[in-house]
mmCIF file of all heavy atoms in Angstrom:
data_model
loop_
_atom_site.group_PDB
_atom_site.id
_atom_site.type_symbol
_atom_site.label_atom_id
_atom_site.label_comp_id
_atom_site.label_asym_id
_atom_site.label_seq_id
_atom_site.Cartn_x
_atom_site.Cartn_y
_atom_site.Cartn_z
ATOM 1 N N ASN A 1 -23.844 6.259 18.296
ATOM 2 C CA ASN A 1 -23.212 7.608 18.269
ATOM 3 C C ASN A 1 -21.844 7.465 17.649
ATOM 4 O O ASN A 1 -21.332 6.311 17.437
ATOM 5 C CB ASN A 1 -23.140 8.219 19.679
ATOM 6 C CG ASN A 1 -22.276 7.395 20.640
ATOM 7 O OD1 ASN A 1 -21.057 7.323 20.442
ATOM 8 N ND2 ASN A 1 -22.895 6.854 21.714
ATOM 9 N N ILE A 2 -21.190 8.551 17.420
ATOM 10 C CA ILE A 2 -19.957 8.564 16.605
ATOM 11 C C ILE A 2 -18.790 7.837 17.351
ATOM 12 O O ILE A 2 -17.982 7.155 16.692
ATOM 13 C CB ILE A 2 -19.570 10.030 16.271
ATOM 14 C CG1 ILE A 2 -18.537 10.045 15.147
ATOM 15 C CG2 ILE A 2 -19.091 10.790 17.516
ATOM 16 C CD1 ILE A 2 -18.357 11.444 14.551
ATOM 17 N N TRP A 3 -18.760 7.932 18.691
ATOM 18 C CA TRP A 3 -17.682 7.252 19.418
ATOM 19 C C TRP A 3 -17.828 5.732 19.385
ATOM 20 O O TRP A 3 -16.876 4.991 19.196
ATOM 21 C CB TRP A 3 -17.647 7.769 20.872
ATOM 22 C CG TRP A 3 -17.052 9.128 20.977
ATOM 23 C CD1 TRP A 3 -17.680 10.316 21.134
ATOM 24 C CD2 TRP A 3 -15.635 9.446 20.893
ATOM 25 N NE1 TRP A 3 -16.810 11.374 21.191
ATOM 26 C CE2 TRP A 3 -15.536 10.878 20.999
ATOM 27 C CE3 TRP A 3 -14.487 8.719 20.728
ATOM 28 C CZ2 TRP A 3 -14.300 11.510 20.995
ATOM 29 C CZ3 TRP A 3 -13.240 9.344 20.666
ATOM 30 C CH2 TRP A 3 -13.153 10.746 20.823
ATOM 31 N N ILE A 4 -19.050 5.242 19.519
ATOM 32 C CA ILE A 4 -19.294 3.777 19.461
ATOM 33 C C ILE A 4 -18.985 3.360 17.998
ATOM 34 O O ILE A 4 -18.493 2.257 17.809
ATOM 35 C CB ILE A 4 -20.708 3.458 19.801
ATOM 36 C CG1 ILE A 4 -20.920 3.815 21.280
ATOM 37 C CG2 ILE A 4 -20.986 1.958 19.603
ATOM 38 C CD1 ILE A 4 -22.329 3.550 21.826
ATOM 39 N N GLY A 5 -19.287 4.171 17.034
ATOM 40 C CA GLY A 5 -19.011 3.873 15.646
ATOM 41 C C GLY A 5 -17.495 3.691 15.413
ATOM 42 O O GLY A 5 -17.048 2.785 14.742
ATOM 43 N N LEU A 6 -16.731 4.611 16.032
ATOM 44 C CA LEU A 6 -15.253 4.498 15.915
ATOM 45 C C LEU A 6 -14.752 3.238 16.595
ATOM 46 O O LEU A 6 -13.860 2.556 16.032
ATOM 47 C CB LEU A 6 -14.647 5.753 16.621
ATOM 48 C CG LEU A 6 -13.100 5.733 16.626
ATOM 49 C CD1 LEU A 6 -12.531 5.772 15.193
ATOM 50 C CD2 LEU A 6 -12.622 6.979 17.445
ATOM 51 N N PHE A 7 -15.261 2.953 17.739
ATOM 52 C CA PHE A 7 -14.879 1.700 18.501
ATOM 53 C C PHE A 7 -15.210 0.476 17.615
ATOM 54 O O PHE A 7 -14.383 -0.452 17.538
ATOM 55 C CB PHE A 7 -15.580 1.618 19.810
ATOM 56 C CG PHE A 7 -15.203 0.442 20.631
ATOM 57 C CD1 PHE A 7 -13.958 0.338 21.217
ATOM 58 C CD2 PHE A 7 -16.142 -0.531 20.879
ATOM 59 C CE1 PHE A 7 -13.635 -0.771 21.986
ATOM 60 C CE2 PHE A 7 -15.787 -1.637 21.668
ATOM 61 C CZ PHE A 7 -14.566 -1.788 22.203
ATOM 62 N N ALA A 8 -16.412 0.433 16.991
ATOM 63 C CA ALA A 8 -16.797 -0.698 16.178
ATOM 64 C C ALA A 8 -15.879 -0.817 14.933
ATOM 65 O O ALA A 8 -15.563 -1.906 14.504
ATOM 66 C CB ALA A 8 -18.283 -0.572 15.724
ATOM 67 N N ALA A 9 -15.492 0.324 14.385
ATOM 68 C CA ALA A 9 -14.566 0.288 13.239
ATOM 69 C C ALA A 9 -13.245 -0.359 13.570
ATOM 70 O O ALA A 9 -12.694 -1.145 12.860
ATOM 71 C CB ALA A 9 -14.389 1.695 12.683
ATOM 72 N N VAL A 10 -12.719 0.040 14.770
ATOM 73 C CA VAL A 10 -11.466 -0.496 15.212
ATOM 74 C C VAL A 10 -11.602 -2.038 15.395
ATOM 75 O O VAL A 10 -10.740 -2.814 15.051
ATOM 76 C CB VAL A 10 -11.024 0.139 16.516
ATOM 77 C CG1 VAL A 10 -9.801 -0.522 17.084
ATOM 78 C CG2 VAL A 10 -10.737 1.671 16.241
ATOM 79 N N LEU A 11 -12.731 -2.462 16.012
ATOM 80 C CA LEU A 11 -12.913 -3.902 16.222
ATOM 81 C C LEU A 11 -13.036 -4.672 14.945
ATOM 82 O O LEU A 11 -12.565 -5.781 14.806
ATOM 83 C CB LEU A 11 -14.172 -4.090 17.089
ATOM 84 C CG LEU A 11 -14.102 -3.708 18.513
ATOM 85 C CD1 LEU A 11 -15.369 -4.067 19.256
ATOM 86 C CD2 LEU A 11 -12.945 -4.412 19.238
ATOM 87 N N SER A 12 -13.715 -4.046 13.936
ATOM 88 C CA SER A 12 -13.904 -4.706 12.616
ATOM 89 C C SER A 12 -12.549 -4.991 11.955
ATOM 90 O O SER A 12 -12.279 -6.009 11.386
ATOM 91 C CB SER A 12 -14.822 -3.895 11.717
ATOM 92 O OG SER A 12 -14.201 -2.710 11.325
ATOM 93 N N GLY A 13 -11.669 -3.946 12.027
ATOM 94 C CA GLY A 13 -10.274 -4.161 11.499
ATOM 95 C C GLY A 13 -9.523 -5.215 12.223
ATOM 96 O O GLY A 13 -8.836 -6.039 11.619
ATOM 97 N N GLY A 14 -9.712 -5.262 13.597
ATOM 98 C CA GLY A 14 -9.054 -6.325 14.365
ATOM 99 C C GLY A 14 -9.615 -7.665 14.028
ATOM 100 O O GLY A 14 -8.821 -8.654 14.012
ATOM 101 N N LEU A 15 -10.880 -7.818 13.715
ATOM 102 C CA LEU A 15 -11.483 -9.100 13.360
ATOM 103 C C LEU A 15 -10.891 -9.607 12.047
ATOM 104 O O LEU A 15 -10.525 -10.806 11.950
ATOM 105 C CB LEU A 15 -12.984 -8.974 13.301
ATOM 106 C CG LEU A 15 -13.728 -10.199 12.828
ATOM 107 C CD1 LEU A 15 -13.549 -11.398 13.825
ATOM 108 C CD2 LEU A 15 -15.270 -9.910 12.650
ATOM 109 N N LEU A 16 -10.826 -8.761 11.073
ATOM 110 C CA LEU A 16 -10.232 -9.205 9.762
ATOM 111 C C LEU A 16 -8.771 -9.520 9.930
ATOM 112 O O LEU A 16 -8.287 -10.456 9.301
ATOM 113 C CB LEU A 16 -10.465 -8.146 8.708
ATOM 114 C CG LEU A 16 -11.841 -7.902 8.198
ATOM 115 C CD1 LEU A 16 -11.872 -6.824 7.136
ATOM 116 C CD2 LEU A 16 -12.443 -9.180 7.643
ATOM 117 N N ALA A 17 -8.068 -8.797 10.808
ATOM 118 C CA ALA A 17 -6.633 -9.078 11.050
ATOM 119 C C ALA A 17 -6.501 -10.410 11.779
ATOM 120 O O ALA A 17 -5.546 -11.172 11.484
ATOM 121 C CB ALA A 17 -6.030 -7.958 11.916
ATOM 122 N N TRP A 18 -7.487 -10.774 12.684
ATOM 123 C CA TRP A 18 -7.389 -12.041 13.327
ATOM 124 C C TRP A 18 -7.563 -13.192 12.307
ATOM 125 O O TRP A 18 -6.874 -14.162 12.371
ATOM 126 C CB TRP A 18 -8.483 -12.148 14.375
ATOM 127 C CG TRP A 18 -8.632 -13.496 15.025
ATOM 128 C CD1 TRP A 18 -7.778 -14.037 15.979
ATOM 129 C CD2 TRP A 18 -9.567 -14.494 14.700
ATOM 130 N NE1 TRP A 18 -8.190 -15.315 16.254
ATOM 131 C CE2 TRP A 18 -9.296 -15.610 15.532
ATOM 132 C CE3 TRP A 18 -10.706 -14.558 13.854
ATOM 133 C CZ2 TRP A 18 -10.072 -16.785 15.488
ATOM 134 C CZ3 TRP A 18 -11.453 -15.735 13.818
ATOM 135 C CH2 TRP A 18 -11.094 -16.814 14.617
ATOM 136 N N ILE A 19 -8.465 -12.997 11.325
ATOM 137 C CA ILE A 19 -8.618 -13.998 10.290
ATOM 138 C C ILE A 19 -7.363 -14.133 9.469
ATOM 139 O O ILE A 19 -6.888 -15.240 9.168
ATOM 140 C CB ILE A 19 -9.820 -13.599 9.411
ATOM 141 C CG1 ILE A 19 -11.157 -13.603 10.133
ATOM 142 C CG2 ILE A 19 -9.878 -14.499 8.113
ATOM 143 C CD1 ILE A 19 -12.326 -13.063 9.359
ATOM 144 N N LEU A 20 -6.696 -12.993 9.148
ATOM 145 C CA LEU A 20 -5.448 -13.049 8.406
ATOM 146 C C LEU A 20 -4.348 -13.726 9.251
ATOM 147 O O LEU A 20 -3.609 -14.567 8.705
ATOM 148 C CB LEU A 20 -4.990 -11.647 8.091
ATOM 149 C CG LEU A 20 -3.600 -11.528 7.435
ATOM 150 C CD1 LEU A 20 -3.642 -12.137 6.054
ATOM 151 C CD2 LEU A 20 -3.164 -10.041 7.346
ATOM 152 N N ALA A 21 -4.370 -13.491 10.556
ATOM 153 C CA ALA A 21 -3.351 -14.136 11.386
ATOM 154 C C ALA A 21 -3.585 -15.629 11.509
ATOM 155 O O ALA A 21 -2.626 -16.428 11.421
ATOM 156 C CB ALA A 21 -3.428 -13.502 12.811
ATOM 157 N N VAL A 22 -4.800 -16.079 11.581
ATOM 158 C CA VAL A 22 -5.087 -17.491 11.697
ATOM 159 C C VAL A 22 -4.676 -18.189 10.372
ATOM 160 O O VAL A 22 -4.037 -19.239 10.414
ATOM 161 C CB VAL A 22 -6.576 -17.729 11.967
ATOM 162 C CG1 VAL A 22 -6.914 -19.226 11.812
ATOM 163 C CG2 VAL A 22 -6.926 -17.265 13.369
ATOM 164 N N LEU A 23 -5.046 -17.579 9.284
ATOM 165 C CA LEU A 23 -4.687 -18.185 7.941
ATOM 166 C C LEU A 23 -3.183 -18.234 7.785
ATOM 167 O O LEU A 23 -2.628 -19.200 7.284
ATOM 168 C CB LEU A 23 -5.365 -17.413 6.837
ATOM 169 C CG LEU A 23 -6.830 -17.499 6.753
ATOM 170 C CD1 LEU A 23 -7.350 -16.553 5.652
ATOM 171 C CD2 LEU A 23 -7.304 -18.904 6.455
ATOM 172 N N SER A 24 -2.439 -17.153 8.173
ATOM 173 C CA SER A 24 -1.044 -17.012 7.909
ATOM 174 C C SER A 24 -0.170 -17.728 8.909
ATOM 175 O O SER A 24 0.833 -18.321 8.575
ATOM 176 C CB SER A 24 -0.713 -15.521 7.802
ATOM 177 O OG SER A 24 -1.429 -14.845 6.872
ATOM 178 N N ILE A 25 -0.583 -17.630 10.172
ATOM 179 C CA ILE A 25 0.300 -18.130 11.252
ATOM 180 C C ILE A 25 -0.094 -19.606 11.615
ATOM 181 O O ILE A 25 0.832 -20.509 11.674
ATOM 182 C CB ILE A 25 0.205 -17.274 12.508
ATOM 183 C CG1 ILE A 25 0.586 -15.831 12.120
ATOM 184 C CG2 ILE A 25 1.033 -17.809 13.620
ATOM 185 C CD1 ILE A 25 0.339 -14.820 13.257
ATOM 186 N N LYS A 26 -1.330 -19.903 11.787
ATOM 187 C CA LYS A 26 -1.743 -21.225 12.162
ATOM 188 C C LYS A 26 -1.735 -22.198 10.960
ATOM 189 O O LYS A 26 -1.135 -23.288 11.031
ATOM 190 C CB LYS A 26 -3.098 -21.204 12.841
ATOM 191 C CG LYS A 26 -3.562 -22.555 13.338
ATOM 192 C CD LYS A 26 -4.912 -22.498 14.045
ATOM 193 C CE LYS A 26 -5.335 -23.866 14.566
ATOM 194 N NZ LYS A 26 -6.677 -23.794 15.287
ATOM 195 N N TYR A 27 -2.406 -21.788 9.912
ATOM 196 C CA TYR A 27 -2.543 -22.704 8.731
ATOM 197 C C TYR A 27 -1.433 -22.457 7.718
ATOM 198 O O TYR A 27 -1.435 -23.158 6.664
ATOM 199 C CB TYR A 27 -3.920 -22.527 8.096
ATOM 200 C CG TYR A 27 -5.022 -22.934 9.081
ATOM 201 C CD1 TYR A 27 -5.865 -22.049 9.708
ATOM 202 C CD2 TYR A 27 -5.207 -24.326 9.363
ATOM 203 C CE1 TYR A 27 -6.822 -22.460 10.578
ATOM 204 C CE2 TYR A 27 -6.183 -24.766 10.285
ATOM 205 C CZ TYR A 27 -6.995 -23.807 10.849
ATOM 206 O OH TYR A 27 -8.006 -24.196 11.744
ATOM 207 N N LYS A 28 -0.631 -21.438 7.909
ATOM 208 C CA LYS A 28 0.541 -21.158 7.036
ATOM 209 C C LYS A 28 0.124 -20.969 5.560
ATOM 210 O O LYS A 28 0.849 -21.402 4.632
ATOM 211 C CB LYS A 28 1.573 -22.277 7.174
ATOM 212 C CG LYS A 28 2.129 -22.368 8.619
ATOM 213 C CD LYS A 28 3.038 -23.562 8.746
ATOM 214 C CE LYS A 28 3.625 -23.544 10.188
ATOM 215 N NZ LYS A 28 2.605 -23.556 11.199
ATOM 216 N N THR A 29 -1.038 -20.395 5.359
ATOM 217 C CA THR A 29 -1.457 -20.005 4.002
ATOM 218 C C THR A 29 -0.565 -18.874 3.452
ATOM 219 O O THR A 29 0.014 -18.104 4.195
ATOM 220 C CB THR A 29 -2.935 -19.478 4.074
ATOM 221 O OG1 THR A 29 -3.733 -20.452 4.703
ATOM 222 C CG2 THR A 29 -3.474 -19.199 2.638
ATOM 223 N N ASP A 30 -0.364 -18.910 2.152
ATOM 224 C CA ASP A 30 0.392 -17.790 1.535
ATOM 225 C C ASP A 30 -0.205 -16.512 1.928
ATOM 226 O O ASP A 30 -1.402 -16.219 1.739
ATOM 227 C CB ASP A 30 0.355 -17.999 0.027
ATOM 228 C CG ASP A 30 1.298 -16.969 -0.684
ATOM 229 O OD1 ASP A 30 0.883 -15.804 -0.771
ATOM 230 O OD2 ASP A 30 2.330 -17.319 -1.136
ATOM 231 N N GLN A 31 0.623 -15.645 2.517
ATOM 232 C CA GLN A 31 0.129 -14.431 3.112
ATOM 233 C C GLN A 31 -0.406 -13.382 2.091
ATOM 234 O O GLN A 31 -1.357 -12.687 2.340
ATOM 235 C CB GLN A 31 1.272 -13.780 3.979
ATOM 236 C CG GLN A 31 1.622 -14.631 5.158
ATOM 237 C CD GLN A 31 2.860 -14.159 5.865
ATOM 238 O OE1 GLN A 31 3.321 -13.040 5.687
ATOM 239 N NE2 GLN A 31 3.399 -15.008 6.732
ATOM 240 N N ILE A 32 0.175 -13.400 0.899
ATOM 241 C CA ILE A 32 -0.300 -12.528 -0.144
ATOM 242 C C ILE A 32 -1.686 -12.951 -0.626
ATOM 243 O O ILE A 32 -2.575 -12.164 -0.768
ATOM 244 C CB ILE A 32 0.654 -12.520 -1.365
ATOM 245 C CG1 ILE A 32 2.034 -12.106 -0.898
ATOM 246 C CG2 ILE A 32 0.138 -11.616 -2.469
ATOM 247 C CD1 ILE A 32 2.112 -10.653 -0.382
ATOM 248 N N ILE A 33 -1.844 -14.278 -0.801
ATOM 249 C CA ILE A 33 -3.165 -14.786 -1.213
ATOM 250 C C ILE A 33 -4.217 -14.509 -0.121
ATOM 251 O O ILE A 33 -5.363 -14.124 -0.427
ATOM 252 C CB ILE A 33 -3.040 -16.295 -1.549
ATOM 253 C CG1 ILE A 33 -2.162 -16.505 -2.782
ATOM 254 C CG2 ILE A 33 -4.429 -16.849 -1.815
ATOM 255 C CD1 ILE A 33 -1.918 -17.931 -3.125
ATOM 256 N N ALA A 34 -3.872 -14.783 1.140
ATOM 257 C CA ALA A 34 -4.814 -14.562 2.258
ATOM 258 C C ALA A 34 -5.246 -13.106 2.324
ATOM 259 O O ALA A 34 -6.452 -12.797 2.456
ATOM 260 C CB ALA A 34 -4.182 -15.003 3.565
ATOM 261 N N GLY A 35 -4.303 -12.207 2.121
ATOM 262 C CA GLY A 35 -4.663 -10.798 2.133
ATOM 263 C C GLY A 35 -5.506 -10.413 0.977
ATOM 264 O O GLY A 35 -6.440 -9.573 1.103
ATOM 265 N N THR A 36 -5.199 -10.945 -0.206
ATOM 266 C CA THR A 36 -5.996 -10.667 -1.368
ATOM 267 C C THR A 36 -7.437 -11.114 -1.185
ATOM 268 O O THR A 36 -8.411 -10.408 -1.584
ATOM 269 C CB THR A 36 -5.342 -11.287 -2.612
ATOM 270 O OG1 THR A 36 -4.074 -10.789 -2.775
ATOM 271 C CG2 THR A 36 -6.152 -10.921 -3.884
ATOM 272 N N VAL A 37 -7.590 -12.280 -0.643
ATOM 273 C CA VAL A 37 -8.972 -12.832 -0.412
ATOM 274 C C VAL A 37 -9.747 -11.931 0.533
ATOM 275 O O VAL A 37 -10.904 -11.633 0.287
ATOM 276 C CB VAL A 37 -8.884 -14.275 0.170
ATOM 277 C CG1 VAL A 37 -10.250 -14.734 0.628
ATOM 278 C CG2 VAL A 37 -8.355 -15.233 -0.884
ATOM 279 N N ILE A 38 -9.091 -11.465 1.625
ATOM 280 C CA ILE A 38 -9.766 -10.585 2.550
ATOM 281 C C ILE A 38 -10.147 -9.235 1.829
ATOM 282 O O ILE A 38 -11.254 -8.663 2.068
ATOM 283 C CB ILE A 38 -8.854 -10.320 3.729
ATOM 284 C CG1 ILE A 38 -8.779 -11.568 4.587
ATOM 285 C CG2 ILE A 38 -9.399 -9.124 4.618
ATOM 286 C CD1 ILE A 38 -7.801 -11.480 5.731
ATOM 287 N N ASN A 39 -9.280 -8.698 0.993
ATOM 288 C CA ASN A 39 -9.608 -7.490 0.263
ATOM 289 C C ASN A 39 -10.834 -7.672 -0.628
ATOM 290 O O ASN A 39 -11.722 -6.813 -0.693
ATOM 291 C CB ASN A 39 -8.400 -7.059 -0.623
ATOM 292 C CG ASN A 39 -7.316 -6.442 0.211
ATOM 293 O OD1 ASN A 39 -7.563 -5.828 1.288
ATOM 294 N ND2 ASN A 39 -6.097 -6.469 -0.262
ATOM 295 N N ILE A 40 -10.858 -8.784 -1.340
ATOM 296 C CA ILE A 40 -11.988 -9.061 -2.237
ATOM 297 C C ILE A 40 -13.283 -9.247 -1.436
ATOM 298 O O ILE A 40 -14.360 -8.700 -1.819
ATOM 299 C CB ILE A 40 -11.767 -10.323 -3.098
ATOM 300 C CG1 ILE A 40 -10.531 -10.080 -4.037
ATOM 301 C CG2 ILE A 40 -12.963 -10.755 -3.859
ATOM 302 C CD1 ILE A 40 -10.074 -11.314 -4.785
ATOM 303 N N PHE A 41 -13.185 -10.005 -0.315
ATOM 304 C CA PHE A 41 -14.348 -10.150 0.544
ATOM 305 C C PHE A 41 -14.871 -8.821 1.061
ATOM 306 O O PHE A 41 -16.053 -8.493 1.067
ATOM 307 C CB PHE A 41 -13.992 -11.040 1.676
ATOM 308 C CG PHE A 41 -15.000 -11.129 2.813
ATOM 309 C CD1 PHE A 41 -16.155 -11.881 2.631
ATOM 310 C CD2 PHE A 41 -14.860 -10.419 3.964
ATOM 311 C CE1 PHE A 41 -17.153 -11.910 3.622
ATOM 312 C CE2 PHE A 41 -15.840 -10.465 4.971
ATOM 313 C CZ PHE A 41 -17.000 -11.209 4.777
ATOM 314 N N ALA A 42 -13.944 -7.970 1.566
ATOM 315 C CA ALA A 42 -14.338 -6.675 2.141
ATOM 316 C C ALA A 42 -14.980 -5.784 1.081
ATOM 317 O O ALA A 42 -16.056 -5.127 1.366
ATOM 318 C CB ALA A 42 -13.094 -5.964 2.743
ATOM 319 N N THR A 43 -14.407 -5.783 -0.125
ATOM 320 C CA THR A 43 -15.034 -4.973 -1.188
ATOM 321 C C THR A 43 -16.428 -5.421 -1.527
ATOM 322 O O THR A 43 -17.375 -4.633 -1.668
ATOM 323 C CB THR A 43 -14.114 -5.002 -2.450
ATOM 324 O OG1 THR A 43 -12.811 -4.543 -2.148
ATOM 325 C CG2 THR A 43 -14.731 -4.157 -3.559
ATOM 326 N N GLY A 44 -16.602 -6.757 -1.645
ATOM 327 C CA GLY A 44 -17.887 -7.311 -1.984
ATOM 328 C C GLY A 44 -18.940 -7.111 -0.959
ATOM 329 O O GLY A 44 -20.074 -6.654 -1.224
ATOM 330 N N ILE A 45 -18.560 -7.396 0.294
ATOM 331 C CA ILE A 45 -19.656 -7.357 1.375
ATOM 332 C C ILE A 45 -20.042 -5.878 1.673
ATOM 333 O O ILE A 45 -21.234 -5.640 1.959
ATOM 334 C CB ILE A 45 -19.130 -8.047 2.642
ATOM 335 C CG1 ILE A 45 -20.272 -8.319 3.660
ATOM 336 C CG2 ILE A 45 -17.972 -7.302 3.323
ATOM 337 C CD1 ILE A 45 -21.296 -9.331 3.164
ATOM 338 N N THR A 46 -19.058 -4.968 1.646
ATOM 339 C CA THR A 46 -19.429 -3.571 1.930
ATOM 340 C C THR A 46 -20.247 -2.966 0.812
ATOM 341 O O THR A 46 -21.188 -2.195 1.064
ATOM 342 C CB THR A 46 -18.156 -2.713 2.188
ATOM 343 O OG1 THR A 46 -17.279 -2.852 1.037
ATOM 344 C CG2 THR A 46 -17.442 -3.192 3.436
ATOM 345 N N SER A 47 -19.918 -3.321 -0.427
ATOM 346 C CA SER A 47 -20.709 -2.826 -1.564
ATOM 347 C C SER A 47 -22.113 -3.365 -1.536
ATOM 348 O O SER A 47 -23.052 -2.639 -1.798
ATOM 349 C CB SER A 47 -19.991 -3.199 -2.891
ATOM 350 O OG SER A 47 -18.750 -2.592 -3.020
ATOM 351 N N PHE A 48 -22.275 -4.711 -1.269
ATOM 352 C CA PHE A 48 -23.562 -5.292 -1.172
ATOM 353 C C PHE A 48 -24.438 -4.650 -0.090
ATOM 354 O O PHE A 48 -25.616 -4.288 -0.315
ATOM 355 C CB PHE A 48 -23.475 -6.781 -0.947
ATOM 356 C CG PHE A 48 -24.745 -7.475 -0.688
ATOM 357 C CD1 PHE A 48 -25.664 -7.718 -1.699
ATOM 358 C CD2 PHE A 48 -25.091 -7.847 0.608
ATOM 359 C CE1 PHE A 48 -26.858 -8.392 -1.427
ATOM 360 C CE2 PHE A 48 -26.270 -8.503 0.903
ATOM 361 C CZ PHE A 48 -27.159 -8.758 -0.144
#
């Protein structure tokens, strides 16, 4: 239903943010590059 869909959307954003946080904070990856990789991944996987 639409409310569970909204909750899942919020969780999906949090999951990608957790990946960005791990790359940027723990592994100290360049934050611009890490964000760009996530954008490319999101575009590819959602389109597929």
Side-chain angles (χ1 to χ4, degrees):
N1 64 65
I2 195 169
W3 284 103
I4 297 178
L6 177 63
F7 182 69
V10 171
L11 289 183
S12 68
L15 176 61
L16 289 182
W18 174 77
I19 295 173
L20 174 66
V22 170
L23 292 174
S24 302
I25 301 170
K26 182 177 181 179
Y27 295 107
K28 298 175 177 58
T29 306
D30 185 284
Q31 295 171 14
I32 302 297
I33 294 176
T36 303
V37 170
I38 291 175
N39 284 334
I40 295 173
F41 169 77
T43 302
I45 193 68
T46 55
S47 296
F48 171 76

